[in-house]
């Protein structure tokens, strides 16, 4: 990044937010750097001060939105609230993240990483796994979760939980049901 690009720290975020708006309006095939610049109210050249090319912009977008979600998840799971309440708040945030990216995340990630470099996405997922492992461990330590749980595998199961289905369920009852299933299981 050039010295000029570093002098305006918020402009990068403005460009990334404009990128997601363009993606929502036009889809991945309609994403043009010119349109991103127009939406961000900057010159096309300014976009290139922050990002080498469209692929770099998309990779940064995935990282930006994913890291924002992870920061929220870390804050929610580290709070002093009861485990079940933190779980419901985490699931609500997860569903909001999935809704925000519905249909775009996988396509954007593929376009940002066309060579299929698994390590990049694995690194992102490992960060979330760590947040969830600390969360599950806190539930075990507080006695709210069973002491015999495999923390790593339980966290991995929780990571798969809460992907919003394509069907339209009322949000609050759905979150409460997810939490109930997670907390009690489904065995009779």
């Amino acid at each position: 990044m050039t010295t000029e690009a570093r002098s305006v720290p918020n402009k990068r975020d403005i460009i990334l937010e404009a990128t997601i708006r363009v993606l929502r309006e036009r889809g991945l095939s309609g994403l043009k750097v010119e349109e991103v610049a127009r939406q961000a109210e900057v010159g096309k050249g300014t976009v290139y001060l922050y990002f080498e090319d469209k692929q770099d912009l998309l990779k940064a977008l995935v990282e930006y939105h994913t890291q924002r979600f992870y920061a929220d998840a870390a804050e929610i799971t580290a709070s002093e609230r009861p485990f079940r309440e933190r779980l419901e708040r985490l699931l609500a945030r997860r569903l909001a993240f999935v809704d925000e990216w519905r249909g775009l995340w996988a396509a954007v990630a593929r376009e940002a990483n066309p060579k299929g470099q698994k390590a990049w996405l694995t690194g992102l997922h490992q960060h979330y796994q760590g947040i969830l492992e600390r969360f599950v461990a806190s539930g075990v330590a507080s006695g709210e979760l069973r002491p015999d749980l495999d923390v790593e595998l339980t966290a991995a199961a929780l990571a798969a939980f809460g992907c919003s289905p394509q069907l339209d369920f009322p949000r609050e009852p759905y979150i409460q049901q997810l939490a109930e299933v997670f907390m009690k299981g489904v065995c009779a």
Side-chain angles (χ1 to χ4, degrees):
M1 188 180 308
T2 67
T3 304
E4 181 184 342
R6 274 183 252 129
S7 68
V8 186
N10 207 17
K11 199 161 286 210
R12 183 178 191 274
D13 293 352
I14 291 168
I15 293 167
L16 291 170
E17 291 295 336
T19 303
I20 193 69
R21 285 192 307 274
V22 172
L23 282 169
R24 283 188 191 124
E25 291 170 9
R26 299 175 184 235
L28 187 57
S29 62
L31 180 69
K32 306 285 184 248
V33 173
E34 298 83 7
E35 182 60 22
V36 169
R38 190 184 69 70
Q39 287 265 345
E41 298 179 355
V42 299
K44 181 178 173 183
T46 302
V47 175
Y48 289 111
L49 288 174
Y50 295 91
F51 308 99
E52 291 178 26
D53 53 24
K54 185 172 152 183
Q55 183 180 345
D56 187 43
L57 173 64
L58 290 172
K59 187 172 183 179
L61 180 68
V62 168
E63 291 170 354
Y64 172 75
H65 279 282
T66 301
Q67 289 168 356
R68 283 181 43 201
F69 165 68
Y70 291 166
D72 290 348
E75 182 180 328
I76 290 166
T77 59
S79 76
E80 296 295 322
R81 299 170 186 266
F83 186 89
R84 169 91 185 231
E85 188 177 329
R86 291 182 288 156
L87 175 61
E88 288 177 2
R89 290 181 68 218
L90 176 65
L91 290 171
R93 180 61 183 96
R94 169 83 166 130
L95 290 171
F97 178 75
V98 170
D99 284 347
E100 176 184 14
W101 278 94
R102 185 176 305 282
L104 284 176
W105 198 93
V108 170
R110 264 192 313 277
E111 184 74 18
N113 191 26
K115 295 177 185 165
Q117 300 164 346
K118 186 179 176 186
W120 172 61
L121 286 177
T122 299
L124 288 174
H125 291 304
Q126 284 175 333
H127 183 71
Y128 188 47
Q129 176 72 17
I131 291 167
L132 295 178
E133 285 177 18
R134 289 186 295 279
F135 179 45
V136 171
S138 75
V140 171
S142 69
E144 295 170 277
L145 298 181
R146 295 189 341 240
D148 63 324
L149 289 176
D150 181 308
V151 170
E152 182 180 18
L153 293 177
T154 303
L158 182 55
F161 233 54
C163 291
S164 184
Q166 295 298 319
L167 302 175
D168 190 22
F169 294 114
R171 182 58 46 105
E172 283 306 310
Y174 180 62
I175 290 168
Q176 290 171 3
Q177 184 66 31
L178 285 173
E180 187 74 10
V181 168
F182 184 81
M183 295 298 292
K184 293 186 178 178
V186 294
C187 291

